[in-house]
Amino acid sequence: MLSLPIFLVASVVKIVLVIFILLTAVAYTVWLERKVVGHMQNRWGPSRVGPFGLLQPLADGVKFLLKEDLTPPHVYRPLFIAAPMIAVICALTSISVIPFGTAIPVAGHIIPLQITDLNIGLLVILGVTSIGVYGVALAGWSSNSKYSLLGGLRASAQMVSYEICLGLSLVGVLIVSGSFSLQQIVESQRGYFWGFIPKWNIFYGCQFVAFFIYLMAAYAETNRIPFDLPEAETELVAGYHTEYSAMKFAMFFMAEYANMITVACLATILFLGGGNGPLFGPPLLRLILPTFYFVAKVFVFLFTYIWVRGTLPRFRYDQLMAFGWKFLFPLAIANLVVTALVVAYRS
Amino acid sequence: MPQNYVPVFIFIAVVGTLIPITLLLTKLVRPSNPHREKLLPYECGIDPVDRARGRYTVRYYIVAILFVVFDVETIFLFPWAVKFKAFGLFGLLEMLIFLGILIVGYIWIWQKGALEWV
């Protein structure tokens, strides 16, 4: 247990580091997406700025800073300015309870690689991401433009619909793990069964259906293809951020990619055992390996996001709603009942 | 432990100051060159037709109401799921009854056509 001053200092240092790393990760996820989708479509993607276009995110950032930021007279100003800030603050804050690996010793203190371990960590993430819907809805309404309003409405309806499926898919994991603390959920997935299969929730907890539901709901929550109806370019121009430009637009952009990363982290923790994996080698390597496994699993998710984007077409809106309410919702309830019966049978 | 909540608030404070400061900083370096046509609502280049505060389909309201009903249900399920092993058979039966009532309601709204989009 750390004393209070050290706890606070460690927290502030971790917060600054995590924000820095998260924003860099967001920038390079954008680069990765452009590069991978480019190659999938037989193009090069960013290739001019730096080797392999690696400095492209930096150039984009400078451009966002120096672009003219229009606030049209027809918007409702206070909400128009507040909306992107709400979106990005909620998107970044949800990372604050994610455990990135084991505890590491720093100058004689054991510092966990997690900003804070709350016993209601999962609820904090769900709550904060729910507030993020306000950013989108308010942006759509306050812009006072038809495309924005339609985009904002679509986004809010889609996000609240899929939030139910997302929440229900987590209930199965909670039954198996018996805790809201993400740290303890990761702990409960340590070890192997039948000799070699890892005790991840997706295998040992029989949560593969829940994993499928979570994945679908997560794609819809983050407004990604095939569920990117809120910003369907061919019908709504850019959806809720049609009237935004420069840094305010960049904030919605950052919020979207930060949400993608949070969702990927959460999937890794809840279903794929977080930083669990085979540990070997010298003590230093043993400290680094969990973080490495965690980042590798998250990367697989982010890559899948991009892969899906390069592969699938977009749903129609009625198909999207029918899929969520008539297929995913009953499936999630069935999964919940089956999980409860399996766990009750086991104990 | 209550002190574990402090870093979350520090995080919100750091992000909550960082983001407005970024917006203010861009105000210093960016050009500002407004023009009547730039400031019109974007409608693919033509002058806007009609106002944006028009009518839209009532389906969005229905989805919002359904969300409230079923999200509250999910919230009731969360604490039950965490303490599932402690409740044992009693908890399982209780929740099956709870879910049974909800599923009847779900079938009813489906029959009523509330899940149909147009």
Side-chain angles (χ1 to χ4, degrees), chain B residues 53-72:
Chain B
R53 297 268 180 268
R55 297 180 179 183
Y56 47 86
T57 171
V58 72
R59 294 282 155 195
Y60 292 112
Y61 292 108
I62 296 176
V63 167
I65 293 168
L66 294 181
F67 164 72
V68 172
V69 174
F70 287 106
D71 208 44
V72 168

Side-chain angles (χ1 to χ4, degrees), chain B:
Chain B
M1 269 160 296
Q3 67 166 9
N4 279 1
Y5 289 82
V6 174
V8 177
F9 292 110
I10 301 177
F11 195 102
I12 295 173
V14 170
V15 180
T17 47
L18 200 69
I19 298 296
I21 285 174
T22 321
L23 275 185
L24 283 178
L25 277 182
T26 56
K27 208 166 194 169
L28 301 177
V29 288
R30 66 171 193 232
S32 180
N33 203 0
H35 183 271
R36 193 192 86 86
E37 279 166 1
K38 277 192 214 167
L39 296 174
L40 286 175
Y42 182 80
E43 290 201 5
C44 308
I46 55 168
D47 281 356
V49 184
D50 207 3
R51 293 171 61 242
R53 297 268 180 268
R55 297 180 179 183
Y56 47 86
T57 171
V58 72
R59 294 282 155 195
Y60 292 112
Y61 292 108
I62 296 176
V63 167
I65 293 168
L66 294 181
F67 164 72
V68 172
V69 174
F70 287 106
D71 208 44
V72 168
E73 170 216 345
T74 319
I75 290 164
F76 279 133
L77 285 176
F78 276 162
W80 165 79
V82 169
K83 280 285 158 229
F84 178 73
K85 284 167 188 164
F87 284 147
L89 199 60
F90 166 74
L92 182 66
L93 291 177
E94 283 273 284
M95 196 42 72
L96 286 180
I97 294 167
F98 178 68
L99 281 177
I101 295 168
L102 263 160
I103 288 166
V104 171
Y106 175 72
I107 293 168
W108 185 75
I109 57 165
W110 193 333
Q111 294 289 318
K112 278 279 172 187
L115 302 182
E116 309 297 326
W117 195 270
V118 182

